[in-house]
Amino acid sequence: MDDKQQRLFTAARDLFLAQGFKATSIADIAAKADVAVGTFYNFYQSKTAIFITVYNQENEWIKQAIISQIDLTADPATVVQAVLQQIFTQSTNNRILQEWFSNPKLNAIIAKTNQDIAADSVVYATLMVLITDWQQRGLLAPGMTQDRILSLFNALTVVDFHQSEVQTADYFQLVSDLITGILHVILK
């Protein structure tokens, strides 16, 4: 990343964390990065574009931190629920990640922009490791294939991308229940 682009990214991240998306302007980001507003547009088309870049990186950093703290060899249901619980907890305490849950417009833009990003995520990579481990330990239900398991978890991604359309007061519980159901199907 170019030095000016890195400074813009860092400034945007700091501002989005401190005051959220809505209260942050391009002028604020440029000033904090010590560049002209016009320079901002050499690297990013809009505040939304830089936010999505910051959001994606923040999301990956948090997920990597979570996964590094969890014993992936524990009971599968415990592992998956622990990862999910931590993702929700970390999201609640991070203004950048809160936008996914609290800003339906940004949620839709992020979902549309990131339709193919899940396959490159640390959670996806970890899921692949878990599935292989579960297969080797003989924990999978008969006939359960890696593709079928991935399809079930990918369905959760679709639900998450459209979470603003789901009418529930407790989204975390809904996702937790769906994961419990998926684990019931894939494990012996």
Side-chain angles (χ1 to χ4, degrees):
M1 204 182 272
D2 178 275
D3 177 58
K4 289 180 183 177
Q5 185 177 14
Q6 181 62 53
R7 289 192 341 242
L8 285 163
F9 175 90
T10 302
R13 180 180 181 270
D14 291 348
L15 290 166
F16 291 140
L17 279 171
Q19 57 197 39
F21 177 80
K22 196 172 201 170
T24 301
S25 70
I26 291 172
D28 295 337
I29 295 168
K32 186 164 180 67
D34 197 28
V35 300
V37 170
T39 302
F40 175 92
Y41 291 103
N42 290 335
F43 300 102
Y44 301 99
Q45 293 179 346
S46 64
K47 179 174 83 167
T48 301
I50 195 170
F51 179 82
I52 290 171
T53 301
V54 169
Y55 174 88
N56 288 339
Q57 186 60 59
E58 189 76 11
N59 198 21
E60 282 303 297
W61 285 336
I62 294 293
K63 289 175 182 174
Q64 286 173 356
I66 290 167
I67 288 171
S68 71
Q69 297 172 18
I70 293 177
D71 177 10
L72 298 179
T73 63
D75 169 65
T78 303
V79 171
V80 174
Q81 291 295 346
V83 169
L84 179 67
Q85 176 65 47
Q86 282 301 308
I87 287 171
F88 276 92
T89 299
Q90 295 294 331
S91 297
T92 300
N93 298 322
N94 183 306
R95 289 186 93 164
I96 293 169
L97 300 180
Q98 281 177 3
E99 296 290 347
W100 176 257
F101 298 100
S102 64
N103 187 330
K105 181 179 174 185
L106 268 179
N107 175 290
I109 293 168
I110 292 167
K112 183 177 180 184
T113 304
N114 292 350
Q115 286 179 355
D116 297 324
I117 202 167
D120 296 328
S121 75
V122 69
V123 170
Y124 183 83
T126 302
L127 181 60
M128 295 300 294
V129 169
L130 288 173
I131 292 169
T132 300
D133 179 62
W134 297 342
Q135 284 174 322
Q136 291 172 348
R137 290 171 43 200
L139 301 176
L140 298 180
M144 192 54 60
T145 65
Q146 184 180 44
D147 286 343
R148 186 169 170 203
I149 296 168
L150 288 175
S151 294
L152 289 164
F153 281 105
N154 284 338
L156 282 177
T157 303
V158 173
V159 169
D160 199 41
F161 279 164
H162 295 279
Q163 64 90 21
S164 63
E165 300 166 31
V166 177
Q167 302 297 315
T168 182
D170 192 350
Y171 182 72
F172 172 75
Q173 186 61 55
L174 169 76
V175 173
S176 181
D177 291 345
L178 290 171
I179 288 174
T180 298
I182 290 170
L183 290 172
H184 181 73
V185 168
I186 67 173
L187 299 172
K188 288 182 181 176

